[in-house]
Amino acid sequence: MGEIEVYQSEGELMRAAAERFVSLAGESVRAQGRFAVALSGGSTPRSLYKLVANEPFVSRVDWTRVYVFWGDERAVPADHHDSNFRMTKESLLQGIRLPPENIHRVRAELAPKEAALDYEQRLKTFFRKRYGKTDSTTVAARFDLILLGMGSDGHTASVFPGSAALQERERWVVADYVEKLEAWRITLTPVVINAARHVLFLVSGGDKASALRRVLSAPYQPDTLPAQVVQPEDGDVTWMLDAGAAALL
Ligand code: 6PG
């Protein structure tokens, strides 16, 4: 299930995560000339993004070599208060000089299934170009980093308990209607998540402690605990936690 790092406070956790983000970006740019990252949504990463968008972190990244995607998105327009893009724009994108063409937003204003197909096509175009492929053969969507959160029900990205995405072996992106939220979500599938070089879970708060203990120690049951499905074939997973989230480990 990967490395587990516990930090005493949310502040320490976020500073450590900012350091890790910047280090991974630097390593990837040095090794491959690019850093392709899928960002997570929700509320936890907001303070991480604010740290990375300011000194001493912001000037350590060559943002012209960074390609930003999202692990999932709510089926709302980009300016909606629930939009992960809007949250990221306000906390990260506004503070960095990222070429607009390096930002690959989920066009969640489209109908959900159309938005998923559109995003999947753009992922394929990006990764085909990255591997210099011109023919139609599909390459792997190998992100250098996928940042993930975890809900108190053990979901991650927008792969919720019972989601069809858990059985998906072909599609890179799907649209899912989430009954409990009464809302559509667009999400990367485990096909893409498990192709990543590095996966970083950022989990904070005592409300996650029970789910986290089950995800990390209960028998494999991703249909109930979707975060358990994250097991990259050729990559690593690091759980960066604060003391609240780790309280039951
Ligand atoms: C989203 C996220 C989702 C999030 C968890 C945790 O779109 O909401 O991608 O997977 O990471 O729900 O959310 P919090 O960080 O708000 O607790």
Side-chain angles (χ1 to χ4, degrees), residues 87-149:
M87 180 274 288
T88 316
K89 184 177 168 198
E90 290 168 351
S91 54
L92 175 65
L93 301 183
Q94 276 169 339
I96 58 178
R97 280 193 293 279
L98 196 63
E101 63 273 16
N102 290 22
I103 300 173
H104 297 274
R105 177 179 72 85
V106 179
R107 294 183 186 134
E109 63 277 15
L110 300 171
K113 292 189 186 300
E114 200 183 330
L117 279 170
D118 169 77
Y119 191 51
E120 183 173 89
Q121 278 315 311
R122 286 189 284 118
L123 273 169
K124 291 191 173 184
T125 302
F126 175 81
F127 281 102
R128 203 171 287 136
K129 214 182 293 175
R130 184 177 165 85
Y131 288 90
K133 296 261 183 188
T134 49
D135 59 15
S136 61
T137 52
T138 303
V139 291
R142 187 155 169 74
F143 278 103
D144 300 300
L145 172 63
I146 297 183
L147 202 51
L148 292 174

Short mmCIF file of all heavy atoms in Angstrom, two decimals, residues 87-149:
data_model
loop_
_atom_site.label_atom_id
_atom_site.label_comp_id
_atom_site.label_asym_id
_atom_site.label_seq_id
_atom_site.Cartn_x
_atom_site.Cartn_y
_atom_site.Cartn_z
N MET A 87 -11.04 26.05 -7.79
CA MET A 87 -10.27 26.02 -6.54
C MET A 87 -8.77 26.08 -6.85
O MET A 87 -8.02 26.83 -6.23
CB MET A 87 -10.61 24.73 -5.78
CG MET A 87 -9.91 24.53 -4.45
SD MET A 87 -8.26 23.76 -4.58
CE MET A 87 -8.70 22.08 -5.02
N THR A 88 -8.35 25.31 -7.88
CA THR A 88 -6.93 25.27 -8.24
C THR A 88 -6.48 26.60 -8.84
O THR A 88 -5.37 27.08 -8.59
CB THR A 88 -6.66 24.14 -9.25
OG1 THR A 88 -7.34 22.96 -8.84
CG2 THR A 88 -5.18 23.87 -9.37
N LYS A 89 -7.36 27.20 -9.63
CA LYS A 89 -7.02 28.50 -10.25
C LYS A 89 -6.79 29.54 -9.15
O LYS A 89 -5.80 30.28 -9.17
CB LYS A 89 -8.17 28.93 -11.16
CG LYS A 89 -7.93 30.21 -11.94
CD LYS A 89 -9.08 30.51 -12.86
CE LYS A 89 -8.97 31.93 -13.44
NZ LYS A 89 -10.27 32.39 -13.97
N GLU A 90 -7.68 29.56 -8.17
CA GLU A 90 -7.58 30.57 -7.09
C GLU A 90 -6.38 30.31 -6.19
O GLU A 90 -5.77 31.25 -5.68
CB GLU A 90 -8.86 30.54 -6.25
CG GLU A 90 -10.08 31.07 -6.97
CD GLU A 90 -11.38 30.77 -6.22
OE1 GLU A 90 -11.35 29.99 -5.23
OE2 GLU A 90 -12.43 31.31 -6.64
N SER A 91 -6.01 29.05 -5.99
CA SER A 91 -4.95 28.76 -5.00
C SER A 91 -3.58 28.52 -5.62
O SER A 91 -2.56 28.74 -4.99
CB SER A 91 -5.35 27.53 -4.16
OG SER A 91 -5.63 26.44 -5.01
N LEU A 92 -3.55 28.10 -6.89
CA LEU A 92 -2.26 27.78 -7.53
C LEU A 92 -2.04 28.53 -8.83
O LEU A 92 -1.08 29.28 -8.99
CB LEU A 92 -2.17 26.27 -7.79
CG LEU A 92 -0.95 25.77 -8.54
CD1 LEU A 92 0.33 25.99 -7.73
CD2 LEU A 92 -1.08 24.28 -8.92
N LEU A 93 -2.95 28.36 -9.79
CA LEU A 93 -2.67 28.81 -11.15
C LEU A 93 -2.47 30.32 -11.24
O LEU A 93 -1.64 30.80 -12.01
CB LEU A 93 -3.80 28.37 -12.10
CG LEU A 93 -4.06 26.86 -12.18
CD1 LEU A 93 -5.14 26.55 -13.21
CD2 LEU A 93 -2.76 26.10 -12.50
N GLN A 94 -3.19 31.06 -10.40
CA GLN A 94 -3.08 32.53 -10.47
C GLN A 94 -1.71 33.00 -9.99
O GLN A 94 -1.25 34.07 -10.33
CB GLN A 94 -4.18 33.19 -9.62
CG GLN A 94 -5.48 33.32 -10.40
CD GLN A 94 -6.67 33.72 -9.52
OE1 GLN A 94 -6.64 33.54 -8.30
NE2 GLN A 94 -7.71 34.22 -10.16
N GLY A 95 -1.01 32.12 -9.22
CA GLY A 95 0.26 32.55 -8.65
C GLY A 95 1.49 32.11 -9.43
O GLY A 95 2.61 32.45 -9.09
N ILE A 96 1.27 31.36 -10.51
CA ILE A 96 2.44 30.81 -11.24
C ILE A 96 2.35 31.20 -12.71
O ILE A 96 1.27 31.44 -13.24
CB ILE A 96 2.50 29.27 -11.11
CG1 ILE A 96 1.22 28.61 -11.64
CG2 ILE A 96 2.76 28.87 -9.66
CD1 ILE A 96 1.23 27.10 -11.59
N ARG A 97 3.53 31.26 -13.35
CA ARG A 97 3.56 31.62 -14.78
C ARG A 97 3.56 30.34 -15.61
O ARG A 97 4.58 29.88 -16.09
CB ARG A 97 4.79 32.47 -15.07
CG ARG A 97 4.60 33.94 -14.67
CD ARG A 97 5.70 34.81 -15.27
NE ARG A 97 7.00 34.49 -14.69
CZ ARG A 97 7.42 34.98 -13.50
NH1 ARG A 97 6.59 35.74 -12.79
NH2 ARG A 97 8.60 34.68 -13.01
N LEU A 98 2.35 29.74 -15.69
CA LEU A 98 2.19 28.49 -16.44
C LEU A 98 1.63 28.84 -17.82
O LEU A 98 0.58 29.51 -17.90
CB LEU A 98 1.20 27.58 -15.68
CG LEU A 98 1.13 26.10 -16.04
CD1 LEU A 98 2.45 25.39 -15.76
CD2 LEU A 98 0.02 25.43 -15.22
N PRO A 99 2.29 28.44 -18.91
CA PRO A 99 1.72 28.73 -20.23
C PRO A 99 0.30 28.17 -20.33
O PRO A 99 0.07 27.00 -19.95
CB PRO A 99 2.67 27.99 -21.18
CG PRO A 99 3.96 27.81 -20.42
CD PRO A 99 3.55 27.66 -18.98
N PRO A 100 -0.65 28.96 -20.80
CA PRO A 100 -2.05 28.49 -20.85
C PRO A 100 -2.20 27.14 -21.56
O PRO A 100 -3.03 26.32 -21.17
CB PRO A 100 -2.77 29.61 -21.62
CG PRO A 100 -1.89 30.81 -21.44
CD PRO A 100 -0.47 30.32 -21.29
N GLU A 101 -1.37 26.92 -22.58
CA GLU A 101 -1.48 25.65 -23.33
C GLU A 101 -1.02 24.44 -22.51
O GLU A 101 -1.22 23.30 -22.90
CB GLU A 101 -0.69 25.72 -24.64
CG GLU A 101 0.81 25.89 -24.50
CD GLU A 101 1.24 27.35 -24.39
OE1 GLU A 101 0.36 28.20 -24.11
OE2 GLU A 101 2.44 27.61 -24.56
N ASN A 102 -0.44 24.72 -21.33
CA ASN A 102 0.00 23.61 -20.46
C ASN A 102 -1.09 23.21 -19.46
O ASN A 102 -0.89 22.32 -18.65
CB ASN A 102 1.25 24.01 -19.66
CG ASN A 102 2.48 24.15 -20.52
OD1 ASN A 102 2.37 24.36 -21.74
ND2 ASN A 102 3.66 24.05 -19.92
N ILE A 103 -2.20 23.93 -19.50
CA ILE A 103 -3.30 23.66 -18.56
C ILE A 103 -4.38 22.86 -19.29
O ILE A 103 -4.95 23.34 -20.28
CB ILE A 103 -3.89 24.97 -18.02
CG1 ILE A 103 -2.83 25.79 -17.29
CG2 ILE A 103 -5.06 24.67 -17.08
CD1 ILE A 103 -3.28 27.18 -16.87
N HIS A 104 -4.62 21.66 -18.80
CA HIS A 104 -5.61 20.78 -19.47
C HIS A 104 -6.79 20.55 -18.55
O HIS A 104 -6.87 19.56 -17.82
CB HIS A 104 -4.92 19.47 -19.84
CG HIS A 104 -3.80 19.65 -20.82
ND1 HIS A 104 -4.00 19.69 -22.18
CD2 HIS A 104 -2.47 19.86 -20.63
CE1 HIS A 104 -2.84 19.90 -22.80
NE2 HIS A 104 -1.90 20.00 -21.86
N ARG A 105 -7.71 21.50 -18.59
CA ARG A 105 -8.90 21.48 -17.73
C ARG A 105 -9.91 20.47 -18.25
O ARG A 105 -10.04 20.29 -19.46
CB ARG A 105 -9.49 22.90 -17.78
CG ARG A 105 -10.77 23.11 -17.04
CD ARG A 105 -11.24 24.55 -17.14
NE ARG A 105 -11.75 24.88 -18.46
CZ ARG A 105 -13.01 24.65 -18.86
NH1 ARG A 105 -13.85 24.03 -18.05
NH2 ARG A 105 -13.42 25.01 -20.07
N VAL A 106 -10.62 19.82 -17.35
CA VAL A 106 -11.77 19.00 -17.76
C VAL A 106 -12.87 19.97 -18.17
O VAL A 106 -13.26 20.84 -17.39
CB VAL A 106 -12.27 18.11 -16.60
CG1 VAL A 106 -13.48 17.29 -17.05
CG2 VAL A 106 -11.16 17.20 -16.07
N ARG A 107 -13.38 19.84 -19.41
CA ARG A 107 -14.43 20.76 -19.86
C ARG A 107 -15.77 20.28 -19.30
O ARG A 107 -16.60 19.70 -19.99
CB ARG A 107 -14.43 20.84 -21.39
CG ARG A 107 -13.14 21.47 -21.91
CD ARG A 107 -13.15 21.61 -23.41
NE ARG A 107 -11.88 22.07 -23.92
CZ ARG A 107 -11.27 21.52 -24.98
NH1 ARG A 107 -11.85 20.51 -25.62
NH2 ARG A 107 -10.12 21.97 -25.40
N ALA A 108 -15.91 20.51 -18.01
CA ALA A 108 -17.04 19.91 -17.27
C ALA A 108 -18.35 20.65 -17.50
O ALA A 108 -19.38 20.29 -16.93
CB ALA A 108 -16.70 19.88 -15.78
N GLU A 109 -18.28 21.70 -18.33
CA GLU A 109 -19.53 22.38 -18.69
C GLU A 109 -20.27 21.59 -19.77
O GLU A 109 -21.46 21.79 -20.01
CB GLU A 109 -19.25 23.80 -19.18
CG GLU A 109 -18.40 23.91 -20.44
CD GLU A 109 -16.90 23.82 -20.16
OE1 GLU A 109 -16.50 23.39 -19.05
OE2 GLU A 109 -16.13 24.15 -21.07
N LEU A 110 -19.53 20.63 -20.40
CA LEU A 110 -20.17 19.74 -21.39
C LEU A 110 -21.03 18.72 -20.66
O LEU A 110 -20.88 18.53 -19.44
CB LEU A 110 -19.09 19.02 -22.21
CG LEU A 110 -18.12 19.88 -23.01
CD1 LEU A 110 -16.99 19.00 -23.57
CD2 LEU A 110 -18.85 20.59 -24.13
N ALA A 111 -21.86 18.00 -21.40
CA ALA A 111 -22.61 16.89 -20.78
C ALA A 111 -21.58 15.91 -20.21
O ALA A 111 -20.54 15.68 -20.84
CB ALA A 111 -23.47 16.23 -21.84
N PRO A 112 -21.82 15.31 -19.04
CA PRO A 112 -20.78 14.52 -18.35
C PRO A 112 -20.08 13.49 -19.23
O PRO A 112 -18.85 13.44 -19.25
CB PRO A 112 -21.56 13.86 -17.21
CG PRO A 112 -22.67 14.81 -16.92
CD PRO A 112 -23.06 15.39 -18.24
N LYS A 113 -20.83 12.70 -19.98
CA LYS A 113 -20.17 11.65 -20.78
C LYS A 113 -19.36 12.26 -21.92
O LYS A 113 -18.30 11.77 -22.28
CB LYS A 113 -21.23 10.67 -21.31
CG LYS A 113 -21.87 9.82 -20.20
CD LYS A 113 -22.74 8.72 -20.74
CE LYS A 113 -23.49 7.96 -19.66
NZ LYS A 113 -22.62 7.30 -18.68
N GLU A 114 -19.84 13.41 -22.42
CA GLU A 114 -19.09 14.11 -23.48
C GLU A 114 -17.81 14.70 -22.89
O GLU A 114 -16.74 14.63 -23.49
CB GLU A 114 -19.99 15.22 -24.03
CG GLU A 114 -19.63 15.73 -25.40
CD GLU A 114 -20.56 16.90 -25.81
OE1 GLU A 114 -21.73 16.91 -25.35
OE2 GLU A 114 -20.07 17.78 -26.53
N ALA A 115 -17.93 15.24 -21.68
CA ALA A 115 -16.76 15.82 -21.01
C ALA A 115 -15.69 14.74 -20.78
O ALA A 115 -14.49 14.99 -20.96
CB ALA A 115 -17.19 16.44 -19.69
N ALA A 116 -16.13 13.55 -20.40
CA ALA A 116 -15.19 12.44 -20.15
C ALA A 116 -14.49 12.03 -21.44
O ALA A 116 -13.26 11.87 -21.47
CB ALA A 116 -15.94 11.25 -19.54
N LEU A 117 -15.26 11.92 -22.53
CA LEU A 117 -14.64 11.54 -23.82
C LEU A 117 -13.67 12.62 -24.28
O LEU A 117 -12.55 12.34 -24.73
CB LEU A 117 -15.74 11.34 -24.87
CG LEU A 117 -16.45 9.99 -24.83
CD1 LEU A 117 -17.68 10.00 -25.74
CD2 LEU A 117 -15.49 8.87 -25.22
N ASP A 118 -14.09 13.87 -24.15
CA ASP A 118 -13.26 15.00 -24.58
C ASP A 118 -11.94 15.00 -23.80
O ASP A 118 -10.85 15.13 -24.38
CB ASP A 118 -14.04 16.30 -24.33
CG ASP A 118 -13.17 17.54 -24.50
OD1 ASP A 118 -12.91 17.90 -25.65
OD2 ASP A 118 -12.73 18.10 -23.47
N TYR A 119 -12.03 14.83 -22.48
CA TYR A 119 -10.83 14.86 -21.64
C TYR A 119 -9.93 13.67 -21.98
O TYR A 119 -8.71 13.79 -22.09
CB TYR A 119 -11.24 14.83 -20.17
CG TYR A 119 -10.15 15.11 -19.15
CD1 TYR A 119 -9.33 16.23 -19.24
CD2 TYR A 119 -9.96 14.25 -18.06
CE1 TYR A 119 -8.35 16.50 -18.29
CE2 TYR A 119 -8.98 14.51 -17.12
CZ TYR A 119 -8.18 15.63 -17.23
OH TYR A 119 -7.21 15.87 -16.28
N GLU A 120 -10.54 12.51 -22.19
CA GLU A 120 -9.76 11.31 -22.53
C GLU A 120 -9.01 11.52 -23.85
O GLU A 120 -7.83 11.18 -23.95
CB GLU A 120 -10.70 10.10 -22.65
CG GLU A 120 -9.97 8.79 -22.92
CD GLU A 120 -10.93 7.60 -22.85
OE1 GLU A 120 -11.50 7.26 -23.90
OE2 GLU A 120 -11.09 7.04 -21.76
N GLN A 121 -9.66 12.13 -24.81
CA GLN A 121 -9.00 12.39 -26.09
C GLN A 121 -7.80 13.32 -25.91
O GLN A 121 -6.73 13.10 -26.47
CB GLN A 121 -9.99 13.02 -27.09
CG GLN A 121 -10.88 12.00 -27.79
CD GLN A 121 -10.08 10.78 -28.28
OE1 GLN A 121 -9.04 10.89 -28.93
NE2 GLN A 121 -10.53 9.57 -27.92
N ARG A 122 -8.00 14.34 -25.08
CA ARG A 122 -6.88 15.28 -24.88
C ARG A 122 -5.73 14.64 -24.12
O ARG A 122 -4.56 14.93 -24.34
CB ARG A 122 -7.40 16.56 -24.21
CG ARG A 122 -8.20 17.38 -25.24
CD ARG A 122 -8.57 18.74 -24.77
NE ARG A 122 -9.66 18.68 -23.82
CZ ARG A 122 -9.57 19.08 -22.56
NH1 ARG A 122 -8.44 19.55 -22.11
NH2 ARG A 122 -10.60 19.01 -21.77
N LEU A 123 -6.06 13.72 -23.21
CA LEU A 123 -5.00 12.97 -22.51
C LEU A 123 -4.22 12.14 -23.52
O LEU A 123 -2.99 12.10 -23.52
CB LEU A 123 -5.63 12.04 -21.47
CG LEU A 123 -5.90 12.59 -20.08
CD1 LEU A 123 -6.77 11.62 -19.30
CD2 LEU A 123 -4.61 12.82 -19.33
N LYS A 124 -4.94 11.47 -24.41
CA LYS A 124 -4.28 10.58 -25.38
C LYS A 124 -3.40 11.39 -26.32
O LYS A 124 -2.27 11.02 -26.63
CB LYS A 124 -5.32 9.76 -26.16
CG LYS A 124 -6.00 8.75 -25.26
CD LYS A 124 -6.84 7.73 -25.98
CE LYS A 124 -7.31 6.69 -24.96
NZ LYS A 124 -8.06 5.59 -25.55
N THR A 125 -3.91 12.54 -26.75
CA THR A 125 -3.11 13.41 -27.61
C THR A 125 -1.84 13.85 -26.90
O THR A 125 -0.75 13.78 -27.44
CB THR A 125 -3.94 14.65 -28.01
OG1 THR A 125 -5.12 14.20 -28.67
CG2 THR A 125 -3.15 15.59 -28.90
N PHE A 126 -1.99 14.25 -25.65
CA PHE A 126 -0.83 14.72 -24.89
C PHE A 126 0.21 13.60 -24.75
O PHE A 126 1.38 13.77 -25.04
CB PHE A 126 -1.25 15.21 -23.51
CG PHE A 126 -0.07 15.60 -22.63
CD1 PHE A 126 0.54 16.84 -22.77
CD2 PHE A 126 0.46 14.70 -21.72
CE1 PHE A 126 1.64 17.19 -21.99
CE2 PHE A 126 1.56 15.03 -20.94
CZ PHE A 126 2.15 16.28 -21.07
N PHE A 127 -0.22 12.42 -24.31
CA PHE A 127 0.75 11.36 -24.02
C PHE A 127 1.30 10.75 -25.30
O PHE A 127 2.43 10.27 -25.33
CB PHE A 127 0.15 10.32 -23.08
CG PHE A 127 0.15 10.78 -21.65
CD1 PHE A 127 -1.01 11.26 -21.06
CD2 PHE A 127 1.33 10.82 -20.92
CE1 PHE A 127 -0.99 11.72 -19.75
CE2 PHE A 127 1.36 11.28 -19.61
CZ PHE A 127 0.19 11.74 -19.02
N ARG A 128 0.53 10.82 -26.38
CA ARG A 128 1.06 10.33 -27.67
C ARG A 128 2.20 11.26 -28.09
O ARG A 128 3.26 10.81 -28.46
CB ARG A 128 -0.06 10.31 -28.71
CG ARG A 128 0.20 9.35 -29.84
CD ARG A 128 -1.01 9.21 -30.73
NE ARG A 128 -2.08 8.43 -30.10
CZ ARG A 128 -3.36 8.76 -30.12
NH1 ARG A 128 -3.75 9.87 -30.70
NH2 ARG A 128 -4.28 8.02 -29.55
N LYS A 129 1.94 12.58 -27.97
CA LYS A 129 2.96 13.55 -28.38
C LYS A 129 4.21 13.37 -27.52
O LYS A 129 5.32 13.34 -28.00
CB LYS A 129 2.39 14.97 -28.18
CG LYS A 129 2.87 15.97 -29.23
CD LYS A 129 2.33 17.36 -28.94
CE LYS A 129 0.81 17.44 -29.10
NZ LYS A 129 0.30 18.78 -28.70
N ARG A 130 3.96 13.15 -26.22
CA ARG A 130 5.06 13.04 -25.26
C ARG A 130 5.95 11.87 -25.62
O ARG A 130 7.14 11.87 -25.42
CB ARG A 130 4.42 12.85 -23.88
CG ARG A 130 5.32 12.79 -22.71
CD ARG A 130 4.45 12.67 -21.45
NE ARG A 130 5.20 12.26 -20.29
CZ ARG A 130 5.85 13.10 -19.52
NH1 ARG A 130 5.85 14.38 -19.83
NH2 ARG A 130 6.51 12.68 -18.47
N TYR A 131 5.34 10.84 -26.19
CA TYR A 131 6.14 9.66 -26.57
C TYR A 131 6.51 9.72 -28.04
O TYR A 131 6.95 8.73 -28.61
CB TYR A 131 5.34 8.39 -26.26
CG TYR A 131 5.23 8.11 -24.77
CD1 TYR A 131 4.16 8.62 -24.05
CD2 TYR A 131 6.21 7.40 -24.10
CE1 TYR A 131 4.06 8.40 -22.68
CE2 TYR A 131 6.12 7.18 -22.74
CZ TYR A 131 5.04 7.69 -22.04
OH TYR A 131 4.94 7.46 -20.68
N GLY A 132 6.23 10.85 -28.68
CA GLY A 132 6.60 11.03 -30.09
C GLY A 132 5.87 10.08 -31.02
O GLY A 132 6.32 9.76 -32.10
N LYS A 133 4.70 9.60 -30.59
CA LYS A 133 3.95 8.68 -31.47
C LYS A 133 3.07 9.48 -32.43
O LYS A 133 2.37 10.39 -32.01
CB LYS A 133 3.04 7.79 -30.61
CG LYS A 133 3.80 6.88 -29.67
CD LYS A 133 3.91 5.49 -30.25
CE LYS A 133 4.63 4.58 -29.24
NZ LYS A 133 4.94 3.29 -29.79
N THR A 134 3.13 9.14 -33.70
CA THR A 134 2.23 9.85 -34.63
C THR A 134 1.08 8.93 -35.05
O THR A 134 0.03 9.37 -35.39
CB THR A 134 3.04 10.25 -35.88
OG1 THR A 134 3.75 9.09 -36.32
CG2 THR A 134 4.03 11.36 -35.53
N ASP A 135 1.32 7.60 -34.97
CA ASP A 135 0.24 6.70 -35.44
C ASP A 135 -0.83 6.61 -34.34
O ASP A 135 -0.72 7.22 -33.29
CB ASP A 135 0.82 5.31 -35.75
CG ASP A 135 1.49 4.73 -34.51
OD1 ASP A 135 1.23 5.28 -33.42
OD2 ASP A 135 2.28 3.79 -34.63
N SER A 136 -1.84 5.80 -34.59
CA SER A 136 -2.99 5.83 -33.67
C SER A 136 -2.77 4.92 -32.46
O SER A 136 -3.61 4.83 -31.60
CB SER A 136 -4.23 5.35 -34.42
OG SER A 136 -3.98 4.01 -34.84
N THR A 137 -1.60 4.24 -32.43
CA THR A 137 -1.42 3.33 -31.27
C THR A 137 -1.45 4.16 -29.99
O THR A 137 -0.85 5.24 -29.92
CB THR A 137 -0.05 2.62 -31.32
OG1 THR A 137 0.94 3.63 -31.47
CG2 THR A 137 0.03 1.62 -32.45
N THR A 138 -2.18 3.65 -29.05
CA THR A 138 -2.29 4.38 -27.78
C THR A 138 -1.10 4.08 -26.89
O THR A 138 -0.62 2.96 -26.84
CB THR A 138 -3.57 3.91 -27.05
OG1 THR A 138 -4.66 4.14 -27.94
CG2 THR A 138 -3.79 4.69 -25.77
N VAL A 139 -0.63 5.12 -26.27
CA VAL A 139 0.45 4.91 -25.30
C VAL A 139 -0.17 4.91 -23.91
O VAL A 139 -1.35 5.17 -23.73
CB VAL A 139 1.49 6.04 -25.41
CG1 VAL A 139 2.24 5.93 -26.71
CG2 VAL A 139 0.81 7.39 -25.28
N ALA A 140 0.65 4.66 -22.91
CA ALA A 140 0.15 4.71 -21.54
C ALA A 140 0.05 6.16 -21.11
O ALA A 140 0.85 7.00 -21.53
CB ALA A 140 1.11 3.96 -20.62
N ALA A 141 -0.93 6.44 -20.25
CA ALA A 141 -1.03 7.79 -19.68
C ALA A 141 -0.19 7.78 -18.42
O ALA A 141 -0.68 7.53 -17.34
CB ALA A 141 -2.48 8.10 -19.34
N ARG A 142 1.11 7.99 -18.61
CA ARG A 142 2.02 7.83 -17.46
C ARG A 142 2.34 9.19 -16.87
O ARG A 142 3.28 9.87 -17.28
CB ARG A 142 3.29 7.11 -17.90
CG ARG A 142 4.23 6.72 -16.77
CD ARG A 142 5.10 5.56 -17.15
NE ARG A 142 6.22 5.25 -16.26
CZ ARG A 142 6.11 4.67 -15.07
NH1 ARG A 142 4.90 4.40 -14.58
NH2 ARG A 142 7.17 4.39 -14.35
N PHE A 143 1.53 9.57 -15.89
CA PHE A 143 1.79 10.83 -15.19
C PHE A 143 3.04 10.71 -14.33
O PHE A 143 3.31 9.63 -13.77
CB PHE A 143 0.60 11.20 -14.30
CG PHE A 143 -0.53 11.87 -15.03
CD1 PHE A 143 -1.67 11.18 -15.37
CD2 PHE A 143 -0.43 13.21 -15.39
CE1 PHE A 143 -2.71 11.80 -16.06
CE2 PHE A 143 -1.46 13.85 -16.07
CZ PHE A 143 -2.60 13.14 -16.41
N ASP A 144 3.77 11.80 -14.21
CA ASP A 144 4.92 11.81 -13.31
C ASP A 144 4.43 11.87 -11.86
O ASP A 144 5.06 11.32 -10.96
CB ASP A 144 5.82 13.00 -13.62
CG ASP A 144 6.32 12.90 -15.05
OD1 ASP A 144 7.00 11.91 -15.37
OD2 ASP A 144 5.99 13.79 -15.86
N LEU A 145 3.31 12.51 -11.66
CA LEU A 145 2.72 12.57 -10.32
C LEU A 145 1.20 12.65 -10.44
O LEU A 145 0.68 13.41 -11.26
CB LEU A 145 3.21 13.80 -9.55
CG LEU A 145 2.52 14.08 -8.20
CD1 LEU A 145 2.76 12.93 -7.21
CD2 LEU A 145 2.98 15.41 -7.61
N ILE A 146 0.52 11.83 -9.65
CA ILE A 146 -0.92 11.99 -9.47
C ILE A 146 -1.15 12.26 -7.99
O ILE A 146 -0.76 11.47 -7.12
CB ILE A 146 -1.72 10.75 -9.92
CG1 ILE A 146 -1.53 10.53 -11.44
CG2 ILE A 146 -3.20 10.93 -9.59
CD1 ILE A 146 -2.34 9.37 -12.02
N LEU A 147 -1.73 13.41 -7.72
CA LEU A 147 -2.03 13.82 -6.35
C LEU A 147 -3.46 13.35 -6.06
O LEU A 147 -4.37 13.57 -6.88
CB LEU A 147 -1.97 15.36 -6.29
CG LEU A 147 -1.74 16.04 -4.96
CD1 LEU A 147 -0.54 15.47 -4.23
CD2 LEU A 147 -1.55 17.55 -5.19
N LEU A 148 -3.65 12.68 -4.94
CA LEU A 148 -4.99 12.17 -4.61
C LEU A 148 -5.36 12.55 -3.18
O LEU A 148 -4.50 12.66 -2.31
CB LEU A 148 -5.03 10.64 -4.73
CG LEU A 148 -4.89 10.05 -6.13
CD1 LEU A 148 -4.79 8.53 -6.04
CD2 LEU A 148 -6.05 10.47 -7.03
N GLY A 149 -6.66 12.72 -2.99
CA GLY A 149 -7.18 12.85 -1.63
C GLY A 149 -7.96 11.57 -1.34
O GLY A 149 -8.01 10.65 -2.16
#
